[in-house]
Amino acid sequence: MKLKNISLTALIAFSTFTIASCNKNELINLVYGSTYDSLKEIDYTTLSTMVNDGYSFILAITSSSLGCGCWSTFKNQVLTPYQIQNKVLIYYINHNEFYDSNHKLLDTFGFTITQDPGFGLFDKGELKYEEKYSSKNYVFSKSDYFVEYMSSKVKLPHILYISQEQLEQKYSGSEPFTLMFSRNNCGDCKYVLNNFFPNYSLNLNDGNDYLYIFECEDAVVKVGNTYYKVREYDEDGQLTEESKIRWQQFKDDYGLSTTNNPIYGYNSGYVPTLFRIEPNGADKNGNVIKDGAVYFNDTISKEGNKYVVSDSYYTNERKEHLSYLSEIDIPVLKGLEISETDVTSYGEYASWNHDAAEKYHSKLTKAFLDKYL
């Protein structure tokens, strides 16, 4: 997200099954997956946000006792192998999260809460399937039953969150890959994650390559023998002064800024930024970056009685380097005049409304992705 005189991620998927009123043959589109080796634990507040924001995801609920063998079997012998093999992201929540401090049951979002483990598959924020535990329900204990069940319920993801360690391994390798830098608290990132990718992902299948997403809020840097989060916040929710320096260094190191990447970097570096990487085993910027795209982050200025895009990733100077632009009939955005009704003003600042800017940026990003996925 660009802080500008115009300012304009993940979540993802899990499984379950009790038949609700819907078309059984319509697969749930799990937009986002992961390359993570372990399940992701969430709390009740995060679950509420995912449901209210209309995500499709897989959720497991622990048994009331984490030491229960039925939960450990389900987690370690069924869920984790399925996640790793199929590149999904499975969330799980502690059974006790559904109760307040007085042990009063909170909104269960359609789940039947018992002492036993459970799991469910959400489709656009609604619990479409729920599976209740019993010793004879083999989806909780036998991996092959679970795999068969899931194959009839979900469309597997081709947009994968990747850890920093796994990302470093990709830069150290030789296989080309496509990457997006994102932040879960960035408004521009949320827009593209919630509005562009759910539709775009419908056409991705086994013949397509993967798009990897790196969540920059999880980035760490080693200073001496100590690891620090790249982005740390003070009590007012602002980046600390030390973190501002680390964040800029991160963007410089990975080529988001023009410091080490004058062709495909953009000013000081913004998210969401997408790159096509052809690694050489060492570098993270410079010649390993072969193409790029930036969603939103345009600067809007008022010139007389009209509003124009006064700065953008998409300029005449950069156009010749963005090969995918030849596939679409979109003008460069810098210099584009936009309607006053598509602008929100904040005193001397102005921003291009997302729904108006999206008409350009979604076509640009689609052309980039169509070329490499």
Side-chain angles (χ1 to χ4, degrees):
M1 177 179 245
K2 179 179 180 182
L3 297 177
K4 46 200 184 289
N5 52 334
I6 298 197
S7 12
L8 288 178
T9 202
L11 309 164
I12 307 158
F14 172 101
S15 77
T16 136
F17 337 90
T18 282
I19 296 176
S21 57
C22 37
N23 183 352
K24 290 195 241 179
N25 296 320
E26 183 178 345
L27 298 180
I28 294 175
N29 182 32
L30 300 181
V31 181
Y32 302 106
S34 79
T35 60
Y36 303 158
D37 294 330
S38 58
L39 312 187
K40 185 174 181 64
E41 184 174 11
I42 60 173
D43 58 20
Y44 186 85
T45 299
T46 302
L47 174 59
S48 299
T49 299
M50 293 168 69
V51 170
N52 293 334
D53 286 351
Y55 287 103
S56 298
F57 60 97
I58 306 168
L59 180 72
I61 303 173
T62 74
S63 54
S64 57
S65 171
L66 295 181
C68 172
C70 54
W71 165 247
S72 61
T73 295
F74 186 39
K75 179 184 178 184
N76 299 324
Q77 298 182 24
V78 177
L79 297 179
T80 300
Y82 182 84
Q83 172 169 301
I84 294 172
Q85 181 174 358
N86 293 280
K87 296 181 172 62
V88 299
L89 177 56
I90 298 178
Y91 296 94
Y92 74 96
I93 187 169
N94 191 295
H95 166 276
N96 296 324
E97 288 284 327
F98 287 96
Y99 295 88
D100 65 15
S101 57
N102 296 316
H103 206 66
K104 180 180 177 181
L105 188 64
L106 302 171
D107 185 355
T108 66
F109 309 108
F111 275 111
T112 302
I113 303 300
T114 69
Q115 301 299 307
D116 298 315
F119 67 92
L121 187 65
F122 282 80
D123 185 19
K124 299 176 183 176
E126 295 186 2
L127 181 63
K128 187 170 182 178
Y129 301 103
E130 180 188 15
E131 199 71 9
K132 300 181 180 70
Y133 176 82
S134 78
S135 60
K136 295 182 179 180
N137 187 345
Y138 294 133
V139 295
F140 285 91
S141 57
K142 296 183 182 296
S143 179
D144 54 343
Y145 277 76
F146 188 85
V147 169
E148 182 177 359
Y149 193 93
M150 290 296 287
S151 68
S152 66
K153 299 293 186 290
V154 301
K155 177 182 181 296
L156 295 174
H158 276 73
I159 304 173
L160 308 179
Y161 281 84
I162 188 169
S163 69
Q164 189 166 351
E165 180 181 3
Q166 292 167 328
L167 181 59
E168 296 297 327
Q169 292 171 359
K170 284 202 161 290
Y171 279 106
S172 298
S174 59
E175 291 294 321
F177 63 97
T178 307
L179 172 68
M180 184 173 89
F181 292 92
S182 182
R183 287 182 20 241
N184 58 29
N185 54 5
C186 154
D188 294 348
C189 300
K190 288 181 179 180
Y191 189 95
V192 71
L193 291 170
N194 295 346
N195 295 278
F196 173 77
F197 282 120
N199 289 325
Y200 183 80
S201 65
L202 290 171
N203 295 318
L204 298 177
N205 52 52
D206 290 343
N208 293 104
D209 202 353
Y210 292 106
L211 169 66
Y212 297 95
I213 299 179
F214 181 68
E215 173 52 63
C216 296
E217 293 296 326
D218 294 337
V220 296
V221 61
K222 187 176 183 181
V223 180
N225 294 320
T226 305
Y227 284 93
Y228 296 91
K229 288 184 68 68
V230 169
R231 295 179 57 85
E232 292 184 313
Y233 299 88
D234 60 26
E235 58 185 12
D236 296 321
Q238 303 298 314
L239 285 180
T240 64
E241 291 304 314
E242 297 85 353
S243 189
K244 290 178 182 178
I245 297 172
R246 293 198 293 265
W247 175 229
Q248 188 58 57
Q249 186 64 55
F250 176 91
K251 293 187 291 181
D252 294 345
D253 289 346
Y254 283 89
L256 279 73
S257 74
T258 55
T259 299
N260 297 310
N261 185 20
I263 295 177
Y264 297 112
Y266 181 29
N267 296 344
S268 63
Y270 309 110
V271 291
T273 286
L274 300 94
F275 286 144
R276 178 63 173 180
I277 307 294
E278 294 184 8
N280 60 14
D283 299 324
K284 301 184 185 70
N285 53 53
N287 290 334
V288 301
I289 300 174
K290 299 301 183 181
D291 212 345
V294 173
Y295 204 97
F296 293 154
N297 291 287
D298 307 292
T299 299
I300 308 304
S301 300
K302 190 171 186 180
E303 298 181 359
N305 295 321
K306 63 183 181 181
Y307 288 94
V308 298
V309 178
S310 55
D311 197 12
S312 173
Y313 189 72
Y314 297 96
T315 65
N316 281 318
E317 295 77 12
R318 189 176 284 109
K319 179 180 180 180
E320 62 182 279
H321 300 287
L322 306 177
S323 59
Y324 58 93
L325 293 186
S326 63
E327 304 298 323
I328 54 174
D329 184 22
I330 294 269
V332 296
L333 297 186
K334 185 176 180 180
L336 181 71
E337 184 176 343
I338 58 179
S339 171
E340 184 175 359
T341 60
D342 293 334
V343 174
T344 298
S345 298
Y346 308 92
E348 62 181 287
Y349 299 103
S351 67
W352 196 358
N353 297 339
H354 279 165
D355 288 344
E358 175 274 335
K359 296 173 184 177
Y360 294 91
H361 280 278
S362 287
K363 291 180 180 178
L364 291 161
T365 301
K366 180 180 184 300
F368 171 86
L369 294 171
D370 285 350
K371 184 176 179 66
Y372 296 113
L373 298 189

